[in-house]
């Protein structure tokens, strides 16, 4: 049977035999690669033991493939590998500091794949003392090691990694720059965030997207200009991320700054007719569980909506009228009132709500407010009738106020 067939049929014992007994380096390497695809196999222990043994062979190709497969298997597999190489008996009961010590020793291994595996493993431990050793690997000759070390430093999140990570933002490898940017975003202190600002112009799309994503973690208006510039990025993914970050930023900044920032954002968004900007706003309003994000989104949608997405925006804002949060309801109502309703779409969506006596009076009140802004003769007649028939004083007052703006009672 071919190696492909052995993998397909889950014949791990045969793959192990090939790895141990074949005299063909290419075949051994392929067998080692395929054994990494069985993390949940009943013979996992045998797989791990075979791969750990293969790492210690003379073939660089087989060693690299075996380490990569152990890394794919994760958990006890990489612990067993590094414990064997470091001469330490590691098991699931070993203290994290013991594991960290073994992993940091392995960071100096001659084989780059083992350094990669050790760096990866350190990222899964909450051991800040490992950060200095990880940052030493930022000068590693292998960009894969530099990238993994940066990723793990970000996972640990110790601020001591900030300066070394910043130095990686100009690395020749886009993968390293990407991991450094993501790590700085995870650390999230002011220095880390400021270091990311220039990356919105990086040549690599994914680096730009990660940097722009981190801009939402600021608690001041420093990245606003960068984010609004990113709204014009050639990549739809970067533009989409910029929208999410702007909303997150608006939720983080002090209240006295949020209005000015919103106006700046509106000015920029109003100059684009790109659905990759409007659609994320709708998704935030529909799906976010954070009230501040939804409030800001509801406010923006009434001022930046493109004609192509107008129907979906109206539906989302009308649904938001029923939100539990009073401010979200108010922002949704005012945004609906801001929309150009020459085709009567907003009016048609709101009239059934106004006329339904089973709807919460607070929701009907917000719909009535909006009809007073955008309604026509049909709305005036409905409100005129409602004033005489409703038993709810709040609804009646809202109807009086709205109908006065539509020419008064008939």
């Amino acid at each position: 049977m071919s190696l492909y067939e052995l993998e397909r049929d889950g014949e791990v014992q045969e793959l192990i035999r090939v790895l141990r007994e074949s005299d063909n380096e290419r075949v051994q390497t392929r067998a080692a690669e395929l054994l990494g695809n069985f993390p949940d196999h009943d013979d996992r222990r045998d797989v791990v033991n075979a791969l750990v043994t293969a790492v210690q062979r003379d073939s660089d190709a087989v060693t690299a493939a075996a380490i990569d497969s152990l890394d794919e298997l994760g958990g006890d597999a990489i612990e067993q590998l590094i414990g064997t190489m470091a001469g330490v008996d590691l098991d699931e009961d070993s203290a994290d500091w013991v594991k960290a010590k073994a992993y940091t020793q392995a960071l100096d291994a001659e084989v780059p794949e083992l350094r990669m595996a050790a760096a990866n493993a350190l990222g899964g431990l909450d051991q800040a003392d490992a950060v200095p050793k990880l940052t030493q690997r930022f000068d590693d000759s292998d960009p894969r090691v530099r990238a993994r070390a940066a990723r793990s430093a970000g996972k640990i999140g110790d601020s001591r990694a900030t300066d070394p990570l910043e130095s990686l933002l100009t690395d020749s490898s886009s993968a390293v720059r990407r991991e450094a940017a993501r790590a700085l975003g995870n650390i999230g202190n002011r220095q880390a965030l400021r270091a990311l600002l220039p990356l919105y112009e990086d040549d690599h799309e994914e680096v730009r997207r990660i940097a722009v994503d981190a801009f939402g973690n600021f608690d001041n208006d420093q990245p606003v200009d960068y984010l609004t510039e990113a709204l014009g990025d050639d990549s739809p993914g970067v533009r989409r991320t910029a929208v999410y970050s702007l909303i997150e930023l608006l939720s983080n900044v002090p209240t006295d700054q949020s209005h000015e920032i919103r106006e700046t954002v509106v000015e920029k968004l109003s100059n684009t007719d790109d659905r990759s900007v409007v659609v994320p706003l709708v998704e935030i309003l529909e799906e976010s569980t954070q009230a501040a994000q939804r409030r800001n989104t509801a406010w923006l949608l009434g001022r930046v909506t493109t004609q192509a997405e107008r129907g979906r925006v109206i539906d989302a804002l009308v649904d938001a009228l029923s939100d539990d949060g009073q401010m979200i309801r108010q922002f949704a109502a005012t945004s609906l009132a801001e929309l150009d309703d020459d085709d009567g779409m907003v009016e048609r969506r709101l009239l059934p709500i106004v006329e339904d006596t089973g709807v919460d009076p607070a929701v009907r009140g917000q719909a009535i407010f909006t009809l007073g802004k955008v309604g026509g003769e049909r709305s005036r007649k409905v409100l005129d009738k409602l004033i005489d028939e409703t038993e709810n004083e709040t609804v009646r007052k809202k109807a009086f106020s709205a109908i006065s703006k539509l020419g008064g009672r008939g």
Side-chain angles (χ1 to χ4, degrees):
M1 296 177 70
S2 68
L3 293 180
Y4 165 77
E5 291 172 322
L6 292 176
E7 181 203 21
R8 182 196 62 193
D9 297 340
E11 297 289 347
V12 298
Q13 293 296 339
E14 276 301 302
L15 286 171
I16 290 171
R17 185 189 63 77
V18 171
L19 175 61
R20 287 173 173 166
E21 300 177 6
S22 175
D23 56 4
N24 185 311
E25 182 182 66
R26 185 182 62 81
V27 173
Q28 286 181 316
T29 300
R30 184 57 179 155
E33 291 173 350
L34 294 176
L35 283 169
N37 296 331
F38 297 97
D40 301 316
H41 198 279
D42 290 342
D43 294 335
R44 174 188 170 91
R45 182 181 296 274
D46 292 341
V47 171
V48 172
N49 289 335
L51 288 170
V52 169
T53 299
V55 168
Q56 302 171 66
R57 294 191 177 181
D58 293 333
S59 167
D60 289 344
V62 175
T63 294
I67 292 173
D68 282 342
S69 285
L70 286 164
D71 207 13
E72 286 293 320
L73 293 174
D76 63 309
I78 207 68
E79 288 179 4
Q80 183 173 331
L81 167 66
I82 295 176
T84 299
M85 301 297 290
V88 179
D89 184 17
L90 296 180
D91 57 40
E92 61 182 13
D93 296 324
S94 297
D96 283 352
W97 70 268
V98 175
K99 295 178 183 178
K101 184 177 180 179
Y103 297 161
T104 53
Q105 289 180 26
L107 286 174
D108 294 325
E110 292 184 8
V111 182
E113 287 78 11
L114 185 53
R115 300 198 299 273
M116 289 166 57
N120 258 1
L122 282 169
L125 301 176
D126 187 19
Q127 296 291 307
D129 289 344
V131 167
K133 189 68 175 181
L134 277 170
T135 59
Q136 289 178 16
R137 294 267 58 93
F138 290 180
D139 294 325
D140 198 283
S141 60
D142 193 313
R144 298 174 300 168
V145 178
R146 299 198 299 274
R148 303 292 179 91
R151 180 191 302 174
S152 289
K155 287 182 177 179
I156 295 172
D158 190 279
S159 61
R160 287 176 294 176
T162 305
D163 280 336
L165 283 168
E166 188 172 351
S167 71
L168 292 183
L169 296 180
T170 56
D171 195 276
S172 59
S173 166
S174 63
V176 174
R177 298 198 304 276
R178 180 173 67 243
E179 294 297 346
R182 182 179 286 115
L184 286 167
N186 288 340
I187 292 174
N189 59 28
R190 290 191 175 185
Q191 180 187 349
L193 294 174
R194 283 197 302 269
L196 292 172
L197 291 175
L199 289 188
Y200 85 103
E201 292 183 316
D202 194 273
D203 292 337
H204 197 276
E205 174 186 338
E206 183 64 7
V207 175
R208 297 198 306 276
R209 190 196 64 76
I210 291 170
V212 168
D213 181 58
F215 292 170
N217 295 329
F218 277 74
D219 60 359
N220 57 61
D221 62 355
Q222 190 172 359
V224 171
D225 289 342
Y226 298 92
L227 284 171
T228 53
E229 284 296 321
L231 292 172
D233 195 276
D234 291 338
S235 163
V238 174
R239 297 196 298 273
R240 183 185 184 89
T241 301
V243 174
Y244 281 103
S245 285
L246 280 167
I247 295 299
E248 182 68 21
L249 180 69
L250 286 170
S251 303
N252 291 337
V253 298
T255 304
D256 59 349
Q257 296 181 32
S258 63
H259 180 71
E260 181 180 352
I261 295 175
R262 281 202 301 266
E263 294 293 347
T264 301
V265 173
V266 167
E267 182 180 358
K268 182 66 177 181
L269 291 178
S270 297
N271 294 326
T272 181
D273 191 36
D274 193 332
R275 69 186 304 271
S276 68
V277 170
V278 176
V279 170
L281 288 174
V282 174
E283 291 175 348
I284 292 170
L285 182 59
E286 291 176 338
E287 301 171 10
S288 176
T289 58
Q290 298 186 33
Q293 290 184 1
R294 301 186 70 236
R295 284 198 303 270
N296 288 313
T297 303
W299 187 90
L300 283 171
L301 279 173
R303 293 151 180 85
V304 302
T305 298
T306 60
Q307 191 61 34
E309 298 297 328
R310 187 167 176 273
R312 184 175 178 186
V313 169
I314 290 173
D315 286 344
L317 289 171
V318 170
D319 288 343
L321 293 177
S322 302
D323 194 271
D324 292 337
Q326 180 182 358
M327 289 295 294
I328 294 175
R329 295 199 302 268
Q330 290 179 356
F331 281 8
T334 56
S335 281
L336 285 167
E338 289 285 337
L339 297 177
D340 181 7
D341 199 38
D342 289 343
D343 60 359
M345 185 182 295
V346 174
E347 182 181 44
R348 289 195 299 274
R349 285 288 278 110
L350 293 178
L351 281 172
I353 296 174
V354 171
E355 294 178 294
D356 187 348
T357 58
V359 173
D360 186 323
V363 176
R364 295 175 76 194
Q366 295 292 358
I368 291 169
F369 163 83
T370 304
L371 287 179
K373 300 283 189 178
V374 304
E377 180 60 18
R378 182 183 174 190
S379 291
R380 193 192 64 79
K381 290 180 178 178
V382 168
L383 294 175
D384 192 30
K385 181 180 179 183
L386 184 63
I387 290 170
D388 293 331
E389 295 180 355
T390 185
E391 296 180 359
N392 187 282
E393 192 60 27
T394 298
V395 171
R396 181 179 291 108
K397 287 181 179 179
K398 291 283 187 179
F400 265 119
S401 176
I403 203 169
S404 67
K405 300 170 185 175
L406 300 177
R409 303 195 68 179

